[in-house]
Amino acid sequence: MKTAERAHRLAGILREFPFLGEISVENLLEVVERELGHPEILDGFRPYAGHFSRAIPREPILHVVSENTPHAALQSLARGLLLGARNFLKLPSGGLPEAEQFGKMAVEAGFSLQMTGGRETAPAMLREAKAVVVFGSDETISHFRKLVPGDAVFEPHGHRISLGMVFDDPRGESAPLAARDVSLFNQKGCLSPQDIYVAGDARGYAMHLAREMEQFHRKDPRGPVTPYEAAQIADMRANYRFRSANDPRVQIWESAGGTDWTVIYEEDPWFAASCLNRVVFVKPLPDDPAAALGPALDWLAAIGLWPATPEYVEKLAGLRPSRFCTLGRMQDAPFSWHQEGRQTLAPLVQWVDFQP
Amino acid sequence: MIKQKLSQREAKVLAFIEEKTGNFEDLILEIHAWQRTACRPYANFCAPMPSPATWHEIPALPLSAFRQAAIRCFSEGETERTFRTSGTTGEGYGEHHFQTLEVYRAAALAGWQLAGLPAGNVHCLLPKPTESPHSSLSCMAGWLAPAERFFWKDWDPLAKVLTGTEGPVALFGTALAFLDFFDWLGSRTLRLPEGSLAIETGGYKGSGREIPQEEFYARFTEKLGLEDIRNEYGMTELSSQFYAAGCPGVHRGGPWVRARVIDPETGLEAQDGATGVLRIFDLANIGSCCAIQTRDLAIRRGKDFELIGRDPAALPRGCSRSADEMLAR
């Protein structure tokens, strides 16, 4: 199957998963062209900087995906399929229905894919893999790093943090967009903001955000969480209730009758890590955001901006997130995005050059 | 002599613990009413909430409050002792201040006795109270065993003492200390006299060691021949303890301390057999705050509970780095 045909079939499958956004045949081929230099370079030798080259997928590719993040799993798998590689998919122990469905459709469409579940990855798959893409915690990544054969490419995608920055919004017009970014996927995606930094009246913005969190909740409830997750939210709330009772620089807004959403205003700009599940901090935007982010800088994925102007992006480029976007679109990473600041197709191929 | 120095409230609580005079509900409501005015940070915390009609409604202070403010109902100058939390969760130290240790001592000794634990021949796998003056656990153990029965990190003397002992012994120590002792024993085993038992306490926080409780208890049997193993549940921010026997055991405290398992979603008491977070009402916490909201998960067993603890394996799933992971770095 040629690349164009693969792109065609893949786009057909991806259409069944609208949460991934619109991904056309042209989008897919453009990613191949951007990353590998020519849309047909996987099909044969094509001109490449004065000579000819051909890209060959490093296969089989083993995709180890984590629970509750079907986005990353499907995007990773789609990359492997687009390359025309043989693919192994290791499903999380708790299952991932979207990935399973996607996998079944891919097999029916003639792609090469083998799926496995359970806690242990079939050792044969790991031994055979020439590329291993892993999504998961530091512990999971370190576990697989040790197991990956020396000649295989290892592409880890660890847990990340994201945040929002609001520069010019005295009336809180972007608050519904921030509420969407926080609430979608219950903050379990690496693109989910945990803190929103606001220039100007940050406390006022927190109030707007609280109202919008409630609005979003009414439309799209969070759903149940585990007792441990609920306990973490309850603990964080109690902690900040105590803080707010004793410190006017702290204020908390929370959903009534449950742990559905929580907004915490804190004047201290130091990045506060959320316990997730729709718990978000609002803080004044400091003059030096890098200092406020501290160690969180190492894990920065996306910054959602309002307004998302080139001037602000250039000004903040030194923070080195892997993605800037406008608030409200933090969860809509395109297929072509540089996840964790890296190319996503290029590491999964090897090259053959032909110099006539 | 010491009792004469106690306040009227302390004397009442002491009488309740030691002589069972009075009743829990009246006492805790009275003490809460006083703490609500005497401890400024707690007073601020309680301000938006009405006065409780029953002890269930007493506002519970989160543990983090002990890190963020001085939780005491007396002046700094009147502080006799301050115990510190281990700080192993990466969030800094919490401090529990005491104006007098008399009530703490009474609660610890009476709780030990009520759990059916022996008064004599206690050996502690803990630092001596003099070497660890900020440890409430060492302080408590100091009331149960003399200094020469404390063993810490150097396990050879403990092994020698245990080898030569004739009557039943009680070993009291942290889970980590026991694991360290078992590692030190290696392939050797000791056989303690019949009737001996062990009381382990504390988790493995920050140690990087994780071992299922069942496997942990099996090591007591394998290494020391012990079948009777207890867990002590206590914390720096409390003055009373709960004890459970076996695995999984049901934790129970004395009449002066009560636990409620709270559904964190609703804030209401969990159904019997359901999981929630532990809220402790401890009369002996007279100088600080009687109602403490812990972060520990537990299963409600009537008026008692089965401890699950803070389950690190239950982190929210996904690829967003959470607060717990940030702290774990």
Side-chain angles (χ1 to χ4, degrees):
Chain A
M1 208 192 305
K2 301 279 192 198
T3 308
E5 179 59 23
R6 287 198 299 273
H8 182 74
R9 293 187 193 188
L10 193 53
I13 300 171
L14 290 167
R15 266 197 293 278
E16 303 296 319
F17 299 87
F19 62 83
L20 290 172
E22 203 172 309
I23 305 172
S24 66
V25 176
E26 291 72 30
N27 294 150
L28 294 170
L29 292 175
E30 192 183 353
V31 176
V32 177
E33 185 178 3
R34 296 268 173 200
E35 289 211 16
L36 306 180
H38 194 288
E40 293 167 357
I41 208 157
L42 289 152
D43 304 329
F45 286 94
R46 295 292 181 273
Y48 191 104
H51 57 87
F52 295 88
S53 292
R54 177 176 187 171
I56 300 171
R58 295 177 186 271
E59 60 180 343
I61 301 170
L62 171 62
H63 309 262
V64 180
V65 301
S66 59
E67 260 172 287
N68 291 351
T69 52
H71 255 79
L74 266 52
Q75 284 195 346
S76 180
L77 194 51
R79 288 173 195 133
L81 301 176
L82 182 60
L83 289 172
R86 272 202 298 144
N87 291 272
F88 296 149
L89 175 62
K90 156 71 172 73
L91 292 162
S93 48
L96 192 59
E98 297 90 341
E100 285 175 60
Q101 193 195 343
F102 185 91
K104 277 183 197 149
M105 292 171 75
V107 171
E108 283 165 15
F111 288 101
S112 172
L113 171 65
Q114 209 179 320
M115 289 190 276
T116 177
R119 285 196 76 79
E120 298 303 321
T121 305
M125 281 188 176
L126 259 171
R127 267 199 308 275
E128 206 187 330
K130 290 289 179 283
V132 179
V133 187
V134 177
F135 294 86
S137 63
D138 294 350
E139 193 187 358
T140 304
I141 286 171
S142 140
H143 170 77
F144 279 96
R145 194 186 290 279
K146 285 182 211 142
L147 297 176
V148 170
D151 62 341
V153 166
F154 184 58
E155 282 293 306
H157 293 287
H159 291 181
R160 301 273 144 183
I161 57 133
S162 290
L163 50 95
M165 285 191 185
V166 176
F167 287 93
D168 184 15
D169 189 10
R171 285 182 296 182
E173 284 164 8
S174 65
L177 304 173
R180 176 185 191 270
D181 287 337
V182 173
S183 303
L184 278 181
F185 311 115
N186 299 335
Q187 274 174 316
K188 287 178 180 171
C190 58
L191 299 175
S192 304
Q194 299 191 24
D195 291 28
I196 310 284
Y197 285 98
V198 179
D201 182 11
R203 193 191 292 262
Y205 191 88
M207 198 170 63
H208 290 303
L209 182 57
R211 189 189 60 226
E212 295 303 331
M213 291 295 290
E214 174 63 23
Q215 290 300 321
F216 195 96
H217 164 66
R218 287 184 187 177
K219 273 192 318 223
D220 187 355
R222 183 198 61 194
V225 293
T226 66
Y228 180 75
E229 288 172 313
Q232 282 191 312
I233 299 169
D235 183 59
M236 196 164 257
R237 283 179 169 189
N239 179 6
Y240 278 91
R241 270 186 223 128
F242 178 79
R243 294 267 317 272
S244 69
N246 287 284
D247 186 345
R249 295 167 302 174
V250 174
Q251 196 169 345
I252 178 168
W253 293 261
E254 50 192 279
S255 55
T259 60
D260 301 297
W261 60 264
T262 310
V263 175
I264 298 163
Y265 167 77
E266 195 177 26
E267 207 169 289
D268 181 354
W270 184 252
F271 180 83
S274 166
C275 57
L276 312 183
N277 288 304
R278 302 191 181 182
V279 175
V280 63
F281 289 86
V282 176
K283 289 164 175 272
L285 182 69
D287 293 335
D288 181 3
L293 290 173
L297 266 182
D298 294 345
W299 297 305
L300 196 53
I303 299 182
L305 294 172
W306 186 267
T309 63
E311 291 75 27
Y312 286 128
V313 170
E314 293 299 342
K315 195 175 155 192
L316 296 167
L319 298 178
R320 299 177 70 176
S322 55
R323 184 167 169 254
F324 287 107
C325 65
T326 190
L327 264 188
R329 298 207 61 189
M330 292 187 72
Q331 306 291 355
D332 309 334
F335 186 74
S336 53
W337 77 307
H338 292 105
Q339 190 162 6
E340 296 190 27
R342 307 197 298 265
Q343 289 187 307
T344 52
L345 287 184
L348 304 177
V349 301
Q350 62 186 68
W351 291 95
V352 185
D353 294 336
F354 167 42
Q355 201 172 0
Chain B
M1 189 69 188
I2 296 167
K3 281 186 190 178
Q4 287 170 1
K5 290 184 189 170
L6 297 179
S7 69
Q8 203 183 352
R9 272 178 295 270
E10 285 163 334
K12 275 190 195 173
V13 171
L14 204 58
F16 184 67
I17 293 170
E18 293 183 333
E19 294 150 33
K20 300 179 183 63
T21 53
N23 80 72
F24 177 82
E25 175 137 10
D26 290 347
L27 275 171
I28 201 160
L29 285 172
E30 179 189 335
I31 288 165
H32 164 70
W34 171 66
Q35 288 179 339
R36 204 175 167 125
T37 55
C39 176
R40 177 51 48 197
Y42 184 55
N44 293 338
F45 179 68
C46 292
M49 302 176 231
S51 289
T54 74
W55 65 273
H56 293 179
E57 295 168 11
I58 296 176
L61 202 58
L63 291 177
S64 57
F66 287 83
R67 288 198 311 271
Q68 292 159 3
I71 305 300
R72 61 181 146 213
C73 302
F74 44 88
S75 69
E76 190 178 351
E78 291 172 302
T79 306
E80 182 182 326
R81 281 289 285 278
T82 295
F83 297 118
R84 275 194 206 139
T85 62
S86 62
T88 44
T89 55
E91 297 162 307
Y93 296 98
E95 289 188 326
H96 192 178
H97 308 286
F98 286 78
Q99 188 177 14
T100 162
L101 292 176
E102 194 65 14
V103 178
Y104 177 31
R105 183 175 188 274
L109 293 177
W112 185 270
Q113 190 188 5
L114 268 176
L117 298 169
N121 223 5
V122 178
H123 294 67
C124 301
L125 286 75
L126 290 166
K128 287 177 191 167
T130 49
E131 289 165 4
S132 193
H134 294 298
S135 162
S136 57
L137 183 62
S138 283
C139 175
M140 170 187 157
W143 294 321
L144 296 162
E148 64 272 19
R149 296 239 180 95
F150 279 73
F151 305 89
W152 185 242
K153 290 183 179 168
D154 179 12
W155 304 121
D156 192 43
L158 174 64
K160 282 191 179 127
V161 168
L162 294 179
T163 308
T165 192
E166 288 184 356
V169 295
L171 299 180
F172 180 36
T174 64
L176 274 175
F178 278 113
L179 280 176
D180 197 41
F181 179 49
F182 296 155
D183 286 349
W184 179 86
L185 281 173
S187 58
R188 284 177 296 163
T189 57
L190 300 174
R191 283 293 168 266
L192 302 185
E194 195 155 330
S196 296
L197 55 84
I199 306 104
E200 56 91 12
T201 187
Y204 315 104
K205 275 183 301 187
S207 71
R209 292 190 78 152
E210 293 297 334
I211 173 169
Q213 196 190 23
E214 209 167 305
E215 199 182 308
F216 179 42
Y217 280 22
R219 290 204 198 170
F220 282 93
T221 312
E222 179 200 333
K223 297 289 181 189
L224 306 173
L226 291 178
E227 298 285 350
D228 189 355
I229 304 126
R230 316 282 181 96
N231 173 264
E232 183 250 29
Y233 175 77
M235 60 183 71
T236 306
E237 296 87 345
L238 292 174
S239 304
S240 301
Q241 300 77 36
F242 295 81
Y243 295 92
C247 169
V250 173
H251 283 81
R252 190 163 295 159
W256 60 91
V257 58
R258 295 191 187 177
R260 297 186 83 212
V261 177
I262 303 296
D263 178 345
E265 192 58 44
T266 61
L268 304 172
E269 187 165 31
Q271 297 288 314
D272 203 16
T275 301
V277 281
L278 270 178
R279 187 175 292 173
I280 310 290
F281 297 84
D282 184 3
L283 261 182
N285 255 12
I286 190 163
S288 53
C289 179
C290 284
I292 302 293
Q293 182 58 59
T294 78
R295 303 173 76 175
D296 289 313
L297 288 176
I299 302 167
R300 183 180 166 197
R301 300 288 183 216
K303 289 181 178 175
D304 303 319
F305 62 89
E306 189 182 316
L307 190 65
I308 299 175
R310 288 189 65 195
D311 182 0
L315 283 172
R317 297 185 188 280
C319 60
S320 194
R321 185 168 284 270
S322 71
D324 269 22
E325 283 182 288
M326 298 282 277
L327 291 168
R329 196 190 192 194

